[in-house]
Structures are given as structure tokens and as C-alpha cells.
């Protein structure tokens, strides 16, 4: 058994705003939208404090424990400010610095090997992952009827638990998992939100006659608790691949089919750190693809002494 503790007292990172935001310019290409730069923007600075504890059985690799705790503070983050002229209907945008962004995260990973029988070529592993994040996100947002953007602070607690079990028996491989994430959010301009996402599934690797190999995975993704019904979805993603190697494994053919049931939604709805809706439309649908790979090995050439 080997245990280690690593403590990083302070890690400092500095990032300058993008060049366009620092320029002293005025964009009036749209009659109803004016955009300005801000030469007075300050660099965003990130301060990180972390603690890591790791213990592992290196001889038989029967267990592994990793605990990581981090605290981050962002100063002078860049946000997009807005003012609205009710007389002309013109909106003016200008980047500004905001403070108050910070987060505390902790993650725990534990893995245990139940055993291995050499004659039967059998092994079984189980793991547990826990992630907890508390974040205070500060930004400038626009409210209906307001003449200028206001400072919004959203506090979010996210708790994720994932348990998995995977193993092998001779040439067969298998695995199952379950995962749930709970999100609790409050803010000065949003309603209290309690939402949760969960997923579960598994994979199976099967040897077939004539040296073919079949691999298949099934994943179920579900979301609940959102006020908008478009967010409360259930997607069943089934994928499979058939492979065959020749020439002593140098040439490999693999036929892959993704989302066989065709249930993946081409329009995905998400929420950002300010609990505002974001829509992503470029989601790849189901497809089939043939992979052909050739592995070329060369022995290193060495000069022999005379």
C-alpha cells in the first residue's frame, strides 16, 4: 500500500480579455444595437487552493482511493453589460469586470477488485464516484422592462453519485452503471430550482464464430424537475459494433452503428450557470461507419559494432 498527500497552497492564473473587448471602438452596423469596447478592462485572475489524498495497493491493485478538494476564486471576470434606451429602442453593449465568482468542489473515487481466478480468466471490479460542487456565479443579465443590466448572483449546489460494476469472463466482457445528479439553485432574480438528471446502462462484449467480435452498449438518459417540459426528456441510446482482425491482428475491420433506435434528439436544451436556457441544434444523429485500420510495426535499427 502506498499513500500520498499533495497540498497546493495557492495556484495563480492570469488571463487577459480578448483583444476585441479591449479595443476602443464603436460598432453601429445594426441601427438598434451599438457595441463598444472597454480599454479599461482588467485581467481575470484565478486563485486555486487544492488538497489531494491518494492511496493505492500497487502490488495486486485491489483497491484505489482518491480524494480531491479544490477552492477557486475568480476576480475581475468579464461580463457583458447592456443599457436600453426606451425612447429610441437602441441597446448598447459594453464589457465590464465583475467580482464574486467562486466555487468549492470535492471528488471521491473508490475502486475495489473482488478477485481474479487465473484458470477461468475471471475478474470483477466495482467503483464509486462522488462529486459535490458549490458555486456562486455572478454575471450581468437583462430583465424585462429594465433600462440597464443588473448584477445577478446564482448559488448552485450539485451532487453527483455514480456506481459501476465491470468485469470479464474468458473472452466475454460486461459492465453496468448508474448515475444521478441533484442540482439545487437559488438566486436574487430566479426562482428556487430543484432538478435532477439520472442515467444508467451497460455494455457487453461477445466473441462470435469465425473470430468476429460483437460489442454493444445501451445508455438511458433522463431529466426531471424542469419547469419547461422540453427539458424533461428520456433518451435511450443503443449502439453496437462488429469487428474482425486478420493478418495476425495487423489489419482490423470494424462496422459501427450509433443510435440504432434513432431516439437521440437533434435539438438539445440546457441551462447555463445563470439558470438561463441555451439551445444546441448541432447534435449528431444516428449513423453507421466502417473503420479499417492497419498497424505497422518497425523494429528499431541499431548499428552493430565491428
Amino acid at each position: 500500500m502506498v499513500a500520498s498527500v499533495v497540498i497546493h497552497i495557492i495556484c495563480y492564473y492570469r488571463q487577459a480579455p480578448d483583444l476585441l473587448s479591449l479595443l476602443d471602438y464603436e460598432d453601429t452596423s445594426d441601427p438598434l444595437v451599438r457595441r463598444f469596447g472597454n480599454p479599461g478592462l482588467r485581467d481575470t485572475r484565478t486563485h486555486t487552493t487544492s488538497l489531494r489524498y491518494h492511496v493505492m495497493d500497487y502490488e495486486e491493485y485491489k483497491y484505489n482511493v482518491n480524494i480531491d478538494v479544490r477552492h477557486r476564486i475568480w476576480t475581475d471576470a468579464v461580463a457583458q453589460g447592456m443599457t436600453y434606451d426606451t425612447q429610441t429602442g437602441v441597446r448598447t453593449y459594453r464589457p465590464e469586470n465583475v467580482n464574486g465568482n467562486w466555487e468549492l468542489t470535492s471528488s471521491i473515487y473508490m475502486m475495489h477488485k473482488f478477485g481474479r481466478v487465473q484458470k477461468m480468466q475471471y475478474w470483477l471490479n466495482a467503483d464509486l464516484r462522488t462529486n459535490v460542487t458549490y458555486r456562486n456565479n455572478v454575471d450581468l443579465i437583462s430583465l424585462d422592462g429594465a433600462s440597464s443590466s443588473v448584477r445577478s448572483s446564482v448559488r448552485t449546489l450539485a451532487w453527483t453519485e455514480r456506481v459501476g460494476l465491470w468485469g470479464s469472463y474468458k473472452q466475454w466482457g460486461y459492465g453496468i452503471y448508474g448515475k444521478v445528479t441533484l442540482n439545487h439553485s437559488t438566486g436574487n432574480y430566479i426562482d428556487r430550482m430543484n432538478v435532477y438528471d439520472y442515467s444508467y446502462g451497460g455494455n457487453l462484449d461477445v466473441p462470435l464464430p469465425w473470430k468476429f467480435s460483437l460489442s454493444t452498449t445501451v445508455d438511458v438518459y433522463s431529466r426531471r424537475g424542469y419547469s419547461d417540459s422540453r427539458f424533461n426528456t428520456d433518451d435511450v441510446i443503443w449502439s453496437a459494433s462488429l469487428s474482425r482482425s486478420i493478418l495476425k491482428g495487423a489489419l482490423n475491420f470494424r462496422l459501427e452503428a450509433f443510435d440504432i433506435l434513432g431516439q437521440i434528439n437533434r435539438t438539445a436544451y440546457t441551462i447555463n450557470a445563470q439558470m438561463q436556457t441555451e439551445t444546441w441544434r448541432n447534435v449528431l444523429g444516428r449513423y453507421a461507419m466502417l473503420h479499417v485500420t492497419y498497424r505497422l510495426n518497425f523494429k528499431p535499427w541499431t548499428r552493430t559494432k565491428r
Side-chain angles (χ1 to χ4, degrees):
M1 181 186 71
V2 177
S4 63
V5 178
V6 179
I7 301 177
H8 296 283
I9 303 300
I10 289 293
C11 293
Y12 177 79
Y13 178 73
R14 188 167 183 167
Q15 182 179 9
D18 62 88
L19 182 60
L20 184 60
S21 298
L22 289 172
L23 294 179
D24 187 9
Y25 77 98
E26 179 181 356
D27 183 1
T28 57
S29 56
D30 188 334
L32 295 179
V33 177
R34 301 172 61 195
R35 298 186 183 275
F36 289 88
N38 186 358
L41 283 178
R42 296 180 295 274
D43 294 347
T44 300
R45 296 175 298 278
T46 305
H47 307 267
T48 303
T49 305
S50 63
L51 170 65
R52 184 181 179 220
Y53 174 77
H54 182 218
V55 59
M56 175 184 291
D57 178 10
Y58 282 97
E59 294 182 358
E60 298 183 3
Y61 197 65
K62 282 194 172 183
Y63 58 86
N64 181 15
V65 178
N66 188 56
I67 301 175
D68 192 0
V69 179
R70 294 175 182 268
H71 180 253
R72 289 190 179 94
I73 301 175
W74 292 271
T75 58
D76 291 325
V78 179
Q80 194 69 32
M82 188 275 297
T83 57
Y84 176 67
D85 191 335
T86 57
Q87 301 295 327
T88 62
V90 176
R91 297 180 184 272
T92 302
Y93 293 91
R94 186 172 185 265
E96 304 288 345
N97 287 117
V98 295
N99 288 305
N101 288 282
W102 64 272
E103 73 172 6
L104 177 64
T105 63
S106 63
S107 63
I108 302 174
Y109 171 74
M110 295 183 292
M111 185 277 295
H112 182 73
K113 179 182 291 185
F114 288 98
R116 179 170 184 171
V117 180
Q118 298 292 343
K119 294 182 179 180
M120 300 178 62
Q121 298 180 354
Y122 164 87
W123 60 272
L124 181 65
N125 284 4
D127 69 350
L128 175 66
R129 302 172 187 265
T130 301
N131 292 279
V132 182
T133 300
Y134 184 86
R135 178 163 187 173
N136 186 70
N137 182 269
V138 177
D139 202 353
L140 299 177
I141 64 173
S142 302
L143 300 178
D144 294 337
S147 59
S148 61
S149 56
V150 296
R151 177 188 171 94
S152 173
S153 178
V154 177
R155 296 164 295 280
T156 302
L157 174 64
W159 189 306
T160 300
E161 291 286 348
R162 185 189 187 279
V163 60
L165 184 70
W166 74 98
S168 174
Y169 177 73
K170 294 184 178 180
Q171 294 182 339
W172 292 67
Y174 57 89
I176 57 174
Y177 79 95
K179 177 182 177 181
V180 60
T181 299
L182 307 177
N183 288 277
H184 171 74
S185 298
T186 60
N188 50 348
Y189 291 104
I190 67 168
D191 297 330
R192 184 188 302 268
M193 294 185 63
N194 291 289
V195 300
Y196 61 96
D197 305 342
Y198 62 92
S199 61
Y200 54 91
N203 68 280
L204 182 65
D205 299 327
V206 182
L208 298 178
W210 302 295
K211 298 182 179 180
F212 281 93
S213 179
L214 175 66
S215 179
T216 181
T217 61
V218 177
D219 298 289
V220 182
Y221 302 96
S222 302
R223 306 197 298 183
R224 295 293 185 271
Y226 297 90
S227 58
D228 193 331
S229 60
R230 296 175 300 175
F231 289 82
N232 300 315
T233 58
D234 294 289
D235 298 320
V236 182
I237 311 300
W238 176 30
S239 304
S241 65
L242 183 66
S243 59
R244 172 72 158 85
S245 297
I246 61 175
L247 301 179
K248 297 181 179 181
L251 183 60
N252 182 66
F253 298 89
R254 182 165 65 94
L255 179 61
E256 176 187 9
F258 175 75
D259 189 22
I260 299 174
L261 302 179
Q263 291 198 9
I264 191 171
N265 195 343
R266 292 182 179 272
T267 302
Y269 301 94
T270 60
I271 55 176
N272 59 16
Q274 285 288 317
M275 300 296 108
Q276 296 174 329
T277 304
E278 292 185 349
T279 304
W280 302 84
R281 301 186 183 276
N282 295 327
V283 179
L284 184 63
R286 59 178 175 175
Y287 64 86
M289 183 179 299
L290 177 63
H291 303 260
V292 180
T293 58
Y294 181 75
R295 187 178 62 210
L296 186 61
N297 294 330
F298 287 97
K299 291 185 178 180
W301 178 81
T302 58
R303 179 178 297 177
T304 58
K305 295 183 180 180
R306 295 183 178 178

